[in-house]
Amino acid sequence: IGYNTTFNTREKIVIETHLLDFNEMIYGEHLHQYFVKRIRDEMKFDSIEALIEKMKQDEQEARDFLVDVDDLL
């Protein structure tokens, strides 16, 4: 949730969601999101490559957290 600061876009706040292990066309569909953990604050990256690397790290942190939560259920 935030601005696309890496791309100097500050017109509006956006929510970007990565659906793990999901590959279907759902543009225009309604989704419900539930927040279970904040991974990091908004950051501006010096390059697209740096952004992509951080997104990979964020994904791994999310996967690790969700495995731990699933083990508790």
Side-chain angles (χ1 to χ4, degrees):
I1 299 174
Y3 298 100
N4 289 328
T5 57
T6 299
F7 301 102
N8 295 319
T9 305
R10 295 200 58 87
E11 292 122 23
K12 61 183 178 178
I13 293 175
V14 296
I15 298 175
E16 296 180 352
T17 304
H18 180 92
L19 303 175
L20 302 174
D21 304 322
F22 186 86
N23 188 21
E24 292 185 33
M25 183 62 69
I26 57 171
Y27 283 97
E29 299 293 329
H30 293 272
L31 300 175
H32 294 271
Q33 287 183 255
Y34 300 94
F35 298 97
V36 294
K37 180 184 179 192
R38 182 182 186 105
I39 295 177
R40 66 174 162 88
D41 291 329
E42 181 178 78
M43 298 172 67
K44 182 172 182 170
F45 296 91
D46 294 330
S47 67
I48 293 173
E49 294 78 18
L51 169 61
I52 291 169
E53 182 58 34
K54 183 60 176 154
M55 289 172 63
K56 289 177 184 177
Q57 293 171 7
D58 293 346
E59 178 183 338
Q60 189 58 55
E61 183 175 342
R63 287 181 182 279
D64 293 345
F65 175 78
L66 293 170
V67 165
D68 291 343
V69 169
D70 191 44
D71 289 343
L72 295 174
L73 299 177

